[in-house]
């Protein structure tokens, strides 16, 4: 039964679905080496570009309730270069960080709030544009990597 549902879902997505091909999604928790450095979780999405950077642009992501402006990058060593071609492997990175607030607690930094355009079940929601039309892709699950200490 699960196989039939999976095959049906794959067929539906192939015909009508997302322009996102998610190759991998990871989450890696980290803690800093000194008390004031904080802790957090780094998320990395690996995608296959279905079009070049003029046709396909990734621009936002929600991780839980946290909102981030993002962009897809082909070359992680040169993050200012946001050009890529159809079928290139591209990456989207985001980090949810907590730092000391100076009052004995922790606060999230670098996080914005923005209403989600739709409800979803999963880890996150990726916003992108395909040929000028806004679309969304649900990130159902992530592979958890070993914690960085």
């Amino acid at each position: 039964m699960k196989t039939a549902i999976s095959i049906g879902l794959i067929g539906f997505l192939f015909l009508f679905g997302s322009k996102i091909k998610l190759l991998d999604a990871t989450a890696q928790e980290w803690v800093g080496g000194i008390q004031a450095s904080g802790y957090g979780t780094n998320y990395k999405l690996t995608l296959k570009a279905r079009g070049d950077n003029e046709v396909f642009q990734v621009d936002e992501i929600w991780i839980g309730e946290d909102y981030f402006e993002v962009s897809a990058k082909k070359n992680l060593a040169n993050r200012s270069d946001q050009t890529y071609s159809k079928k290139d492997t591209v990456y989207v990175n985001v980090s949810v960080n907590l730092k000391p607030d100076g009052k004995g607690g922790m606060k999230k930094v670098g996080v914005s709030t923005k209403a989600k355009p739709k409800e979803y079940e999963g880890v996150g929601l990726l916003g992108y544009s395909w040929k000028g039309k806004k679309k969304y892709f649900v990130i159902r699950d992530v592979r958890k990597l070993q914690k960085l200490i």
Side-chain angles (χ1 to χ4, degrees):
M1 179 69 172
K2 282 185 179 182
T3 303
I5 292 171
S6 296
I7 291 171
L9 182 60
I10 289 169
F12 176 81
L13 289 174
F14 179 74
L15 292 174
F16 305 105
S18 168
K19 296 299 179 186
I20 296 278
K21 182 173 183 182
L22 182 64
L23 302 176
D24 196 19
T26 61
Q28 187 169 38
E29 294 180 345
W30 61 271
V31 294
I34 58 174
Q35 185 177 10
S37 60
Y39 61 93
T41 305
N42 296 326
Y43 294 89
K44 179 179 175 185
L45 305 179
T46 306
L47 311 168
K48 182 67 72 176
R50 298 286 179 123
D52 67 23
N53 56 286
E54 296 294 321
V55 173
F56 170 68
Q57 301 96 25
V58 176
D59 56 4
E60 59 189 352
I61 189 170
W62 286 262
I63 301 292
E65 298 297 320
D66 300 327
Y67 171 79
F68 302 89
E69 291 182 1
V70 295
S71 60
K73 312 246 187 304
K74 177 182 171 183
N75 183 352
L76 293 177
N78 182 6
R79 294 177 186 252
S80 63
D81 181 8
Q82 297 180 21
T83 60
Y84 48 86
S85 301
K86 184 176 182 176
K87 297 186 179 179
D88 279 348
T89 299
V90 296
Y91 306 93
V92 176
N93 294 327
V94 67
S95 188
V96 178
N97 300 323
L98 289 98
K99 302 281 183 178
D101 64 5
K103 301 174 189 170
M106 301 297 278
K107 68 176 181 174
K108 288 183 181 179
V109 295
V111 174
S112 300
T113 57
K114 181 178 177 181
K116 292 178 276 190
K118 65 184 222 170
E119 290 301 315
Y120 64 90
E121 289 186 29
V123 175
L125 183 67
L126 186 68
Y128 66 98
S129 295
W130 174 257
K131 296 184 179 179
K133 292 186 180 181
K134 191 66 179 175
K135 299 187 177 277
Y136 298 94
F137 178 82
V138 176
I139 303 158
R140 302 243 179 253
D141 199 14
V142 295
R143 185 169 51 90
K144 296 195 188 272
L145 302 178
Q146 185 174 353
K147 190 174 194 174
L148 292 173
I149 300 178

